[in-house]
Amino acid sequence: MTDRILNVRDLEVRFFTEEGSVAAVNKVDIQLDRGEVLGLIGESGSGKSVTLRALLRLLPAHSSSVSGTIELDGKDVLKLSGAELRKYRGGETSMIFQEPATAFDPVYTVGFQISEAIRNHLSASRSEARAQALKLLKLVGIPSPEARLDNFPHEMSGGMCQRAMIALALASSPKLLLADEPTTALDATVQIQVILLLRQLQRDLRMAVIFVTHDIGVATEISDQVAVMYGGRIVENGKARDVLKSPRHPYTEGLLSSTVHGARKGEKIDAIPGMPPNLADLPHGCAFAPRCRYATDACREGVPPLETGSDGRRVACFHAIEAA
Ligand code: SF4
C-alpha cells in the first residue's frame, strides 16, 4: 500500500500581464510520500516559489490562474473554498518563508501568534494553546522559551525568529510543510542548525516537506528526492543521492559544476554561461538550449518531454535520454 500524501499532476500557473498570459509553471508533476522531503532546486525565476504558492493556493485569483490537479491526502485542493480552504491553508499545509518578518505581525507577541494559530486549527482553550506554544518553542530549541513567549518578533535575533517561525508553521500539525528558502537570510552556522532542526522535526513528526533552495549543499543535506526546475518546468527528478551524484540533465550538471564545496577543492568552477530565460519569451524548443553545451538542431525544434527511465529517474533532455 502506498503512503502517498501529495499528488500533483500537470500543474500549470499562468500570470496575466500587459504583454499577455505567461506560464510561470508548466506541466509540473510532484509525488510525495508521508515523511519524505523533496528538494526543489534551480536558479531564481525557474518557478520554484510560484509552485509552492500555487500548492498553498496563495496566488491572487484576479491576476493568475492555476490548473491541473493538486491532491493532498486524497483531497482535491483546487476545489476547496471558504472554511475548507482556510483549514487547508496554514492548517493541513503550512509554509515557512525566507523572511520571518513576512510571517509574524510586528504588533503581537510571538507566543500570542503561535497560540492563535493553534486555536484557529485545533480546538484548544487559551491556556491550552499557550502551553502548546511553549512546547513548540522548546521543540525548535529556543533558549528560555517561557520568556520568549512574550517577546515581540523584533526582540529576537534572525536565527531565533526563524526557529519561532518554524514553531508557528508546526502549530497546526500540518501534513505538508512548504519551506521557501528558509535559511537564505541566515549566517552559515545558524543555517546548518536550522536545517538539522528541520530534518529532525520532519522525521519525528513524519511530515512531508517541499524545500525550495538554490543551494545544492542544502538540498543534499535535507532531501530524499530532488526536482530540478528550469524555465517553469521540472527537467530532472529522482532520488537525491542519484541526481546529485550523477546528473543526467545538462542543467543539473551545470548547477553542480558551478557550486563551491569541499569535495571540489582544487577544481575549476565551471559557471553555466548566460542567464535564465525570460518566462514571457522562452526560446523555441528546449528552454536550456541557448546555454547548453550539448545542444543540437533537434533541441531547438521541440520541447523535450519529461521521460521516466527504467530506474525511475525522470529527465527532460533529448540527449540524456539517448545516453540512458
Ligand atoms: Fe541541452 Fe538539448 Fe538536452 Fe536541452 S534537450 S538540455 S539543449 S542537450
Side-chain angles (χ1 to χ4, degrees):
M1 198 177 107
T2 173
D3 216 3
R4 186 66 33 90
I5 184 80
L6 179 71
N7 188 14
V8 178
R9 293 252 174 236
D10 280 336
L11 181 68
E12 186 173 299
V13 178
R14 291 193 156 268
F15 288 109
F16 313 126
T17 69
E18 283 178 6
E19 286 80 42
S21 154
V22 174
V25 172
N26 212 326
K27 296 199 182 308
V28 160
D29 286 357
I30 294 172
Q31 274 79 47
L32 202 55
D33 288 345
R34 251 173 257 276
E36 193 180 19
V37 180
L38 167 70
L40 201 54
I41 60 180
E43 293 163 291
S44 299
S46 57
K48 310 181 299 292
S49 295
V50 176
T51 301
L52 285 203
R53 279 164 174 71
L55 295 181
L56 198 55
R57 299 273 316 268
L58 273 185
L59 294 170
H62 64 279
S63 58
S64 63
S65 72
V66 179
S67 60
T69 305
I70 303 172
E71 277 177 5
L72 182 79
D73 211 3
K75 191 182 287 180
D76 188 339
V77 171
L78 291 181
K79 293 212 172 105
L80 301 179
S81 62
E84 276 189 322
L85 182 56
R86 282 194 294 281
K87 190 167 161 234
Y88 169 77
R89 209 156 43 193
E92 290 161 283
T93 300
S94 66
M95 188 147 167
I96 308 175
F97 296 89
Q98 187 174 338
E99 283 293 336
T102 58
F104 283 114
D105 188 327
V107 303
Y108 295 104
T109 64
V110 164
F112 175 80
Q113 294 184 63
I114 297 175
S115 302
E116 282 304 288
I118 293 166
R119 278 163 53 76
N120 281 343
H121 293 286
L122 312 168
S123 65
S125 66
R126 274 189 203 288
S127 60
E128 286 167 344
R130 189 172 162 92
Q132 179 62 15
L134 178 62
K135 257 195 209 164
L136 286 170
L137 289 189
K138 281 184 189 159
L139 187 70
V140 298
I142 288 193
S144 316
E146 290 87 357
R148 293 297 176 185
L149 275 177
D150 297 318
N151 276 178
F152 289 93
H154 71 269
E155 293 176 304
M156 291 183 160
S157 67
M160 213 184 294
C161 212
Q162 197 69 346
R163 283 172 187 263
M165 187 165 58
I166 295 171
L168 180 66
L170 298 180
S172 59
S173 306
K175 295 174 181 167
L176 173 66
L177 181 68
L178 306 172
D180 191 4
E181 308 229 20
T183 58
T184 307
L186 304 174
D187 55 33
T189 46
V190 183
Q191 195 175 58
I192 292 164
Q193 289 168 9
V194 171
I195 288 165
L196 294 176
L197 168 70
L198 268 175
R199 193 53 161 148
Q200 190 59 49
L201 290 172
Q202 171 274 328
R203 282 191 181 134
D204 292 349
L205 306 174
R206 225 166 154 251
M207 262 179 321
V209 176
I210 302 183
F211 194 101
V212 159
T213 181
H214 61 266
D215 186 324
I216 301 283
V218 169
T220 309
E221 204 55 58
I222 201 160
S223 313
D224 298 304
Q225 58 159 310
V226 295
V228 182
M229 287 194 78
Y230 190 81
R233 291 175 185 266
I234 289 179
V235 295
E236 181 156 12
N237 173 222
K239 290 195 180 108
R241 61 171 182 272
D242 298 341
V243 174
L244 300 174
K245 196 168 161 212
S246 55
R248 289 188 190 150
H249 193 283
Y251 178 58
T252 319
E253 180 191 60
L255 283 178
L256 285 164
S257 348
S258 55
T259 304
V260 183
H261 56 81
R264 303 197 65 227
K265 198 171 172 189
E267 281 180 40
K268 193 168 150 262
I269 300 291
D270 203 1
I272 305 172
M275 300 289 287
N278 175 357
L279 293 172
D281 187 23
L282 284 175
H284 196 66
C286 173
F288 190 56
R291 305 171 76 190
C292 180
R293 69 175 81 179
Y294 309 106
T296 61
D297 289 346
C299 304
R300 295 179 193 93
E301 277 159 23
V303 177
L306 189 63
E307 292 196 18
T308 308
S310 54
D311 57 357
R313 179 100 65 98
R314 300 191 302 156
V315 187
C317 169
F318 294 125
H319 300 295
I321 295 298
E322 278 171 20

